[in-house]
Amino acid sequence: MLAVVKEREGPGFAIKDIPTPEVREDDVLIRVKSVGICGSDIPILAGTRVIPWPMTPGHEFAGDIVKVGAKVKSFGFDLKEGDRVTSCLVIGCGNCYYCVEGKESLCDNLVETGIHVDGAFAEYVRVPAKTVLKMKDGTNYDDGASIDPVASAYRTVKACRVTTKDVVVVFGPGPIGLYAVQLMKLRGAKCVVNVGMTEDMERLKIARELGADYIINSSTENVAERVAEITGGKMADFVQDCTGAPPLADMATTILRKGGTFAITGLFHRPAEMNLGKVVRSELKVFGTICYNRNEFEECLDLVEAGRVKTDPLITHHFALKDMNAAWEVIQARKAIKIMMHP
Ligand SMILES: [Zn+2]
Ligand SMILES: [Zn+2]
């Protein structure tokens, strides 16, 4: 089968024929129809994030089941050949302290499809049946391949427990940020503000279309002043970071009201400086969430299938999998929001 393979350390990837995976008794084999390129795939493909290689990345996908492992039926999963499905990337061991607590994204033995084991930048992907969810007949594969980033934003949003009087500032108009904007509105926030930079203007426009009440260009505007203006001086109840950009951590402390919450979805690869004196004096709360659990993934599939969270405006490019090099050029030029590959 055709696959995009990270063969060695350093930059670059191969587009080549590799053997189709064997199906083990707990697994299903999926013919991949759509697979999104995630922000976290970029450092993997660029070679700045080390993964066990050779490996096929790709974890945001949907497709059709073509083979079901011998034991799958005995687990009670109603999965059969021909089913249209999507899958969580999180594969919990099921036995550690965190899995038993129902927090599988914190699993001590966590395995992630497309990050630790072969993923979906390929014609076929093998995944454990327990990570697979059936899609409704009318759900398209691009929607199915979008549930992973929706769910990553959702775990943070859900944990915020916003109320109808809350003002939320979302940092970053990338896919996760644009889903966070929609989800915060859906969960009842009174006002959602999306912050980006000059190069994000197209994305910020989409944020407005998707329900953001205000957008702020942090390259040209003073974010704290704008938030003060929007909130009548009260400042924000919540800030959700969807960037992982270190300078924004301290900005959060300057735009939150006393007792406000800084909720972090963005993956910080470097330590950030933050005024902890402000955290103490203003009794700010700070927390992060990582990935999602199966139940959150299921809730997000439902939200997308019901049309309550829109994926379409985010999908800016489509390529055949064999044209990964062309997709890579679009990424380098920062022209895309979400690219869908079709093996
Ligand atoms: Zn992802
Ligand atoms: Zn575990």
Side-chain angles (χ1 to χ4, degrees), residues 239-254:
V239 172
Q240 180 175 0
D241 177 77
C242 299
T243 69
L248 293 183
D250 198 54
M251 186 191 284
T253 68
T254 68

Side-chain angles (χ1 to χ4, degrees), residues 75 112 137 141 147 158 189 192-193 244 272 291 303 305 309 321:
F75 299 150
E112 292 172 313
D137 285 343
Y141 296 110
I147 308 305
K158 204 175 163 185
V192 175
V193 184
C291 295
L303 290 173
E305 288 187 321
V309 170
L321 185 69

Side-chain angles (χ1 to χ4, degrees), residues 91-100 104 106-110:
I91 307 172
C93 72
N95 297 313
C96 75
Y97 173 81
Y98 298 98
C99 283
V100 170
E104 62 250 36
L106 293 177
C107 174
D108 280 333
N109 312 300
L110 180 67

Side-chain angles (χ1 to χ4, degrees), residues 5-13 43-55:
V5 184
K6 189 74 197 165
E7 291 187 298
R8 58 184 69 87
E9 269 182 71
F13 47 82
I44 290 174
L45 294 170
T48 52
R49 177 173 177 188
V50 178
I51 55 165
W53 45 265
M55 231 262 306

Side-chain angles (χ1 to χ4, degrees), residues 24 26-28 72 79 87 91 113 126-132:
R24 298 167 304 197
D26 299 0
D27 297 334
V28 298
V72 170
L79 297 172
S87 168
I91 307 172
T113 298
R126 173 184 69 195
V127 291
K130 68 178 178 184
T131 68
V132 174

Side-chain angles (χ1 to χ4, degrees), residues 171 195 197 218 223 239 241 243-255 262 267-275:
F171 286 159
V195 180
M197 298 182 292
S218 64
V223 178
V239 172
D241 177 77
T243 69
L248 293 183
D250 198 54
M251 186 191 284
T253 68
T254 68
I255 63 173
F262 182 35
L267 280 173
F268 283 75
H269 296 293
R270 285 179 289 128
E273 263 184 47
M274 194 172 183
N275 181 352

Side-chain angles (χ1 to χ4, degrees), residues 25-182:
E25 54 187 9
D26 299 0
D27 297 334
V28 298
L29 187 67
I30 298 169
R31 173 71 177 91
V32 181
K33 295 289 189 159
S34 292
V35 51
I37 302 181
C38 178
S40 66
D41 290 321
I42 296 170
I44 290 174
L45 294 170
T48 52
R49 177 173 177 188
V50 178
I51 55 165
W53 45 265
M55 231 262 306
T56 298
H59 61 266
E60 302 180 355
F61 62 95
D64 298 331
I65 293 182
V66 290
K67 228 177 232 174
V68 180
K71 264 193 180 172
V72 170
K73 221 185 184 112
S74 72
F75 299 150
F77 293 118
D78 172 30
L79 297 172
K80 56 182 186 312
E81 286 172 25
D83 282 349
R84 299 149 54 79
V85 293
T86 176
S87 168
C88 314
L89 93 160
V90 173
I91 307 172
C93 72
N95 297 313
C96 75
Y97 173 81
Y98 298 98
C99 283
V100 170
E101 292 264 293
K103 296 174 179 162
E104 62 250 36
S105 66
L106 293 177
C107 174
D108 280 333
N109 312 300
L110 180 67
V111 174
E112 292 172 313
T113 298
I115 292 169
H116 305 107
V117 293
D118 283 333
F121 289 145
E123 286 177 273
Y124 297 90
V125 63
R126 173 184 69 195
V127 291
K130 68 178 178 184
T131 68
V132 174
L133 282 106
K134 257 200 230 190
M135 307 194 297
K136 291 203 171 89
D137 285 343
T139 306
N140 67 50
Y141 296 110
D142 291 348
D143 276 348
S146 302
I147 308 305
D148 166 88
V150 177
S152 294
Y154 184 66
R155 186 170 171 86
T156 312
V157 172
K158 204 175 163 185
C160 283
R161 297 169 173 270
V162 295
T163 71
T164 50
K165 59 180 176 50
D166 289 330
V167 175
V168 179
V169 176
V170 174
F171 286 159
I176 304 268
L178 293 172
Y179 288 132
V181 165
Q182 296 184 66

